[in-house]
Amino acid sequence: MEDVKKALLTKSKRAKMETRGKIISFLCIALIVLVVLSIFYFVASKGLATFFTDKINLFDFLFGTQWNPSQLGADGKPMVGALPMIAGSFIVTFLSAIVATPFAIGAAVFMTEISPKQGQKILQPVIELLVGIPSVVYGFIGLSVIVPAVRSVFGGTGFGILAGTFVLFIMILPTVTTMTVDALKAVPRHYREASLALGATRWQTIYKVVLRAAVPGILTAVVFGMARAFGEALAIQMVIGNAALMPNSLVTPASTLTSILTMGIGNTIMGTVENNVLWSLALILLLMSLIFNIVIRLIGKKGALK
């Protein structure tokens, strides 16, 4: 009896391996959570120093239009109005998403509904190639091709939100297309069969059934693309003009949060007002990334409930 009891209470080799696996998984998850929280704390502590240490008014920072942290304004405070960069980031992000979405949906429909074989042979390699191109290459292409084209067609210097929109459109197109393809493939086959059995044409089935059933997945793809566009730095810096001015035209030089950050963060001294306001811009970027992730989760949850 003692031997039987001992055998029953002793963990088997597989049980021990499972326990070790759970411990390792927990430690890895804990490390990831710790790293994320550390990043949030570091950026927040640096970014909030602008308001608590340097006594910059939050309203003036978010809605001011004059950006020159090294100079004092009429009120005796540094000119740190971030509205031009915030507006530039949002405008170029939304415009690139608006331009990229129809192309992405069209390519995804062709690859899944019209000609899956040709889509896999032709479009899939092209999309994978676009994903692997570095940002600096997109920036050089934008600087060499898109900026002169915008200059010759629309006038001005060529640098501005329009050039940035075209560059970001190309950059986010593979992401939106790939996720849209996955969303269309996830639509159950019997949806299509039922629609065709009721007498609908193939185009009616695609438009009325497949695309509508895949709306949550398509919206998720668009938000993912917007998240990438909002955080893009190098390529957009090379074509937007980097002028911290309120955008009044699509073809005049403007700036984004990332372009000002990449230009200024290496030229300031840690702890100064000029450095702290850049960390405040980084905090805005971090909060926007969090908002994009929350929106994606809400869209996914809504799609799952349906």
Side-chain angles (χ1 to χ4, degrees):
M1 292 296 294
E2 291 295 331
D3 293 339
V4 174
K5 184 178 179 180
K6 184 178 179 181
L8 292 174
L9 295 177
T10 303
K11 284 187 176 182
S12 65
K13 187 176 180 180
R14 290 184 178 180
K16 292 179 180 179
M17 291 180 61
E18 183 178 354
T19 303
R20 285 196 294 267
K22 288 181 179 179
I23 294 173
I24 294 173
S25 300
F26 176 78
L27 291 176
C28 292
I29 294 172
L31 179 61
I32 293 172
V33 172
L34 180 62
V35 170
V36 173
L37 291 178
S38 299
I39 292 173
F40 268 93
Y41 173 76
F42 182 79
V43 176
S45 63
K46 295 289 186 181
L48 294 177
T50 301
F51 313 110
F52 292 102
T53 303
D54 301 317
K55 307 301 181 182
I56 301 296
N57 186 275
L58 177 62
F59 184 86
D60 293 338
F61 175 76
L62 293 177
F63 300 100
T65 58
Q66 300 295 323
W67 178 264
N68 194 354
S70 60
Q71 299 293 326
L72 299 180
D75 57 354
K77 297 286 186 180
M79 293 186 291
V80 291
L83 185 60
M85 288 76 75
I86 296 174
S89 293
F90 276 102
I91 292 172
V92 76
T93 297
F94 281 110
L95 287 179
S96 61
I98 290 172
V99 176
T101 300
F103 287 93
I105 294 176
V109 168
F110 179 82
M111 293 173 64
T112 58
E113 307 295 328
I114 306 301
S115 181
K117 291 183 179 180
Q118 294 299 324
Q120 291 294 327
K121 283 184 178 180
I122 301 174
L123 283 182
Q124 191 67 35
V126 172
I127 292 173
E128 292 174 355
L129 179 63
L130 289 175
V131 172
I133 297 176
S135 298
V136 66
V137 176
Y138 282 112
F140 274 121
I141 293 174
L143 195 61
S144 304
V145 179
I146 296 178
V147 170
V150 171
R151 184 190 304 125
S152 61
V153 175
F154 299 99
T157 62
F159 295 94
I161 289 177
L162 188 60
T165 297
F166 287 137
V167 171
L168 287 181
F169 150 65
I170 299 172
M171 294 185 69
I172 70 174
L173 182 62
T175 301
V176 182
T177 302
T178 302
M179 296 188 66
T180 303
V181 168
D182 294 337
L184 295 179
K185 287 182 177 180
V187 177
R189 181 179 177 83
H190 62 264
Y191 281 24
R192 300 172 176 84
E193 294 173 349
S195 177
L196 294 172
L198 290 172
T201 63
R202 183 172 66 169
W203 286 107
Q204 288 173 331
T205 300
I206 294 172
Y207 176 69
K208 296 288 187 179
V209 178
V210 178
L211 287 178
R212 292 194 179 185
V215 163
I218 296 174
L219 291 178
T220 301
V222 174
V223 175
F224 258 111
M226 291 174 62
R228 184 185 178 189
F230 197 86
E232 180 55 44
L234 185 57
I236 195 70
Q237 176 190 344
M238 298 173 70
V239 298
I240 200 168
N242 305 308
L245 303 171
M246 280 298 296
N248 54 16
S249 172
L250 295 180
V251 293
T252 56
S255 60
T256 62
L257 294 169
T258 52
S259 65
I260 296 297
L261 269 172
T262 53
M263 288 179 57
I265 198 66
N267 301 317
T268 57
I269 301 172
M270 189 71 71
T272 60
V273 177
E274 292 85 352
N275 185 263
N276 288 339
V277 293
L278 293 177
W279 281 107
S280 299
L281 297 182
L283 180 59
I284 294 175
L285 280 171
L286 190 61
L287 292 176
M288 283 307 305
S289 299
L290 181 62
I291 291 173
F292 279 127
N293 279 279
I294 292 173
V295 171
I296 290 169
R297 291 183 67 87
L298 291 176
I299 293 173
K301 188 179 295 185
K302 184 178 179 181
L305 291 175
K306 290 184 177 181

